[in-house]
C-alpha cells in the first residue's frame, strides 16, 4: 500500500495547488452550529484552538487543536463548536492532484508542530498580499493586490500550502502521527521554542495572566539577569517579553469574550487590569475593535461565511 501511495505522489506532484480561492481565519463562539453549502474547490480546515465536530455525508468527525481536515469539492457539511471558543483557519483551493487528495479526504490528521507552523506563515504572507473583505477574510481571486507587498509573498503562500498537503499525505502514509502538545494558548501566537527556559517563562505567564509582571520579577522566576532574559527572549520569539505577555492577555480576552461566560469587567479583572476603561483601550489597540464591537462581530460570523459561498 505504501509503495502505491508513493508512486501516486510522484505522478501528480506538479499540480498540488492550482489556485487558492479563499483564505480566512475565523474565531467562533462556543455551542454553535453552521451549515456550509457546496463549493467548487477543496476546503482545508485547520483547528488552531478548541474543538469542533464536522458532519459530512452522514459521518461525524471530531477535530481538536492541531488537526487538519480536507473536504472535497461539491460537498455540503455542518460543523458544531463545543463548550469552548474555536479558532479555525479555512483555505479553499483548486487542484488537479486528485490521486493525492483522495487519500486525505475523510481523514482527521494531526500534523507535527513544525508543519503546523506553516499555517502561521500563510496568514502572515496573506496579510501583506491580499485585501481583507472582513476581519482576516482575504480576497485571493481578484487581480488587485496590496500595494508594496513583499516580493514573492504570493508564491510563498502557494508553496507553503503545497508543503502542508504533502506533509498531510506523509503523515497519513506513515500512520505514526506525532502526539499533539497540549497548550492553553492560541497556537498561532504561542510556539514551542528550542530553549526550555523560554517555554517555561511563557507557561509561567499563561498561568499568571491576572498579574502584571515586570522584567525583574520574571527574571527572578528564572533565576537569570533581566538583560539575559530580554536578549534571549527577543532572539527566540521575535518579541519583547512584556509585549508577548500582553499578547497572551489579549488572546485570552478574545477567547473568554467568545465563550460568553463572563462580562467585560470580569474579563478585565481576571487579566489584571485595574479598570474596565484600561482594558477596553488595550483591547481596542490590539484588535482594532472595542470589546463590545468584537463580541458583536463574532456573533455575526455567519454573514462572513456567506462571503465564501
Amino acid at each position: 500500500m505504501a509503495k502505491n501511495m508513493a508512486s501516486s505522489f510522484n505522478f501528480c506532484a506538479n499540480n498540488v495547488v492550482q489556485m487558492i480561492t479563499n483564505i480566512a481565519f475565523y474565531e467562533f463562539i462556543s455551542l454553535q452550529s453552521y451549515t456550509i453549502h457546496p463549493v467548487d474547490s477543496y476546503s482545508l480546515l485547520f483547528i488552531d484552538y478548541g474543538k469542533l465536530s464536522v458532519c459530512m455525508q452522514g459521518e461525524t468527525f471530531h477535530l481538536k487543536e492541531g488537526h487538519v481536515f480536507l473536504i472535497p469539492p461539491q460537498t455540503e457539511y455542518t460543523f458544531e463548536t463545543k463548550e469552548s471558543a474555536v479558532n479555525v483557519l479555512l483555505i479553499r483551493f483548486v487542484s488537479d492532484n486528485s490521486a493525492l487528495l483522495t487519500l486525505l479526504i475523510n481523514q482527521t490528521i494531526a500534523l507535527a508542530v513544525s508543519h503546523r507552523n506553516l499555517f502561521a506563515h500563510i496568514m502572515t504572507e496573506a496579510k501583506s498580499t491580499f485585501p481583507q473583505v472582513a476581519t482576516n477574510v482575504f480576497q485571493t481571486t481578484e487581480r488587485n493586490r496590496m500595494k508594496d507587498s513583499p516580493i514573492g509573498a504570493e508564491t510563498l503562500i502557494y508553496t507553503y500550502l503545497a508543503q502542508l498537503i504533502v506533509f498531510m499525505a506523509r503523515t497519513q502514509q506513515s500512520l505514526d502521527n506525532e502526539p499533539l502538545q497540549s497548550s492553553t494558548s492560541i497556537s498561532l501566537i504561542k510556539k514551542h521554542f528550542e530553549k526550555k527556559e523560554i517555554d517555561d517563562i511563557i507557561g509561567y505567564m499563561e498561568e499568571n495572566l491576572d498579574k502584571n509582571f515586570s522584567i525583574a520579577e520574571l527574571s527572578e522566576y528564572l533565576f537569570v539577569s533581566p538583560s539575559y532574559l530580554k536578549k534571549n527572549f527577543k532572539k527566540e520569539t521575535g518579541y519583547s517579553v512584556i509585549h508577548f505577555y500582553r499578547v497572551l492577555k489579549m488572546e485570552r480576552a478574545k477567547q473568554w469574550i467568545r465563550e460568553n461566560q463572563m462580562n467585560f469587567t470580569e474579563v478585565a479583572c481576571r487579566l489584571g487590569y485595574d479598570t474596565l476603561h484600561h482594558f477596553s483601550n488595550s483591547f481596542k489597540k490590539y484588535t482594532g475593535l472595542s470589546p463590545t464591537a468584537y463580541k458583536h462581530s463574532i456573533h455575526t460570523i455567519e454573514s462572513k461565511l456567506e462571503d465564501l459561498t
Side-chain angles (χ1 to χ4, degrees):
M1 177 63 181
K3 183 177 180 180
N4 292 337
M5 291 173 66
S7 61
S8 297
F9 300 160
N10 294 332
F11 181 75
C12 301
N14 292 331
N15 293 309
V16 176
V17 181
Q18 287 183 295
M19 180 174 65
I20 296 175
T21 59
N22 295 100
I23 298 175
F25 184 74
Y26 291 125
E27 300 174 316
F28 295 101
I29 60 176
S30 59
L31 302 175
Q32 298 294 308
S33 177
Y34 305 92
T35 298
I36 310 300
H37 300 296
V39 295
D40 294 330
S41 53
Y42 289 91
S43 298
L44 182 65
L45 301 178
F46 170 63
I47 313 305
D48 180 52
Y49 177 84
K51 299 178 181 179
L52 60 79
S53 296
V54 175
C55 300
M56 181 178 71
Q57 299 174 335
E59 191 170 358
T60 300
F61 303 88
H62 300 287
L63 311 178
K64 60 183 179 180
E65 181 180 320
H67 280 170
V68 282
F69 189 77
L70 184 66
I71 297 168
Q74 298 301 331
T75 302
E76 181 175 289
Y77 64 97
T78 299
F79 69 84
E80 298 180 354
T81 61
K82 301 302 180 182
E83 289 75 14
S84 65
V86 180
N87 288 358
V88 178
L89 178 60
L90 168 65
I91 302 176
R92 285 183 173 158
F93 64 96
V94 176
S95 174
D96 258 357
N97 203 322
S98 58
L100 173 62
L101 295 173
T102 298
L103 299 171
L104 306 178
I105 292 170
N106 292 353
Q107 303 296 330
T108 300
I109 300 173
L111 288 176
V113 173
S114 58
H115 299 158
R116 301 200 308 250
N117 287 340
L118 288 168
F119 284 107
H121 294 319
I122 289 174
M123 283 297 297
T124 298
E125 298 297 335
K127 289 179 179 179
S128 66
T129 306
F130 303 117
Q132 296 191 50
V133 296
T135 304
N136 287 331
V137 178
F138 301 94
Q139 176 57 264
T140 65
T141 55
E142 300 295 334
R143 293 191 177 275
N144 58 312
R145 296 290 184 266
M146 299 286 286
K147 293 181 179 179
D148 302 322
S149 61
I151 294 174
E154 192 166 353
T155 299
L156 284 176
I157 292 171
Y158 276 74
T159 302
Y160 291 145
L161 180 56
Q163 283 183 289
L164 279 164
I165 293 169
V166 171
F167 287 137
M168 288 172 64
R170 288 184 176 182
T171 301
Q172 193 61 26
Q173 181 186 28
S174 68
L175 300 178
D176 187 22
N177 293 2
E178 176 180 305
L180 288 176
Q181 298 188 31
S182 62
S183 170
T184 57
S185 182
I186 308 303
S187 61
L188 287 181
I189 299 300
K190 179 187 180 301
K191 302 181 178 73
H192 295 277
F193 300 99
E194 292 183 5
K195 291 184 179 293
K196 182 180 182 299
E197 62 192 29
I198 302 300
D199 281 346
D200 288 345
I201 201 68
I202 291 173
Y204 186 64
M205 290 177 184
E206 290 186 309
E207 292 171 2
N208 294 276
L209 292 176
D210 60 327
K211 307 291 194 307
N212 287 291
F213 290 122
S214 65
I215 291 288
E217 290 171 317
L218 292 170
S219 300
E220 185 177 348
Y221 168 74
L222 276 183
F223 300 104
V224 298
S225 69
S227 60
Y228 176 88
L229 176 59
K230 288 192 291 185
K231 178 181 177 180
N232 282 275
F233 195 93
K234 177 77 172 180
K235 181 179 179 181
E236 288 290 311
T237 69
Y239 298 94
S240 70
V241 179
I242 299 304
H243 178 72
F244 199 100
Y245 191 31
R246 289 170 180 164
V247 167
L248 292 178
K249 284 175 179 277
M250 289 297 98
E251 288 298 326
R252 186 58 58 83
K254 289 164 62 178
Q255 173 194 338
W256 284 339
I257 290 172
R258 295 196 308 276
E259 291 175 355
N260 204 29
Q261 301 293 319
M262 295 178 282
N263 60 39
F264 297 147
T265 300
E266 290 171 319
V267 171
C269 182
R270 290 188 63 177
L271 291 174
Y273 289 90
D274 49 1
T275 66
L276 177 58
H277 180 71
H278 184 197
F279 165 71
S280 297
N281 284 344
S282 298
F283 190 88
K284 186 171 184 179
K285 184 177 180 179
Y286 180 72
T287 65
L289 299 171
S290 69
T292 301
Y294 179 78
K295 184 174 183 178
H296 176 72
S297 73
I298 57 179
H299 276 284
T300 58
I301 193 69
E302 287 180 286
S303 65
K304 295 181 182 180
L305 286 172
E306 291 300 319
D307 294 332
L308 298 178
T309 60

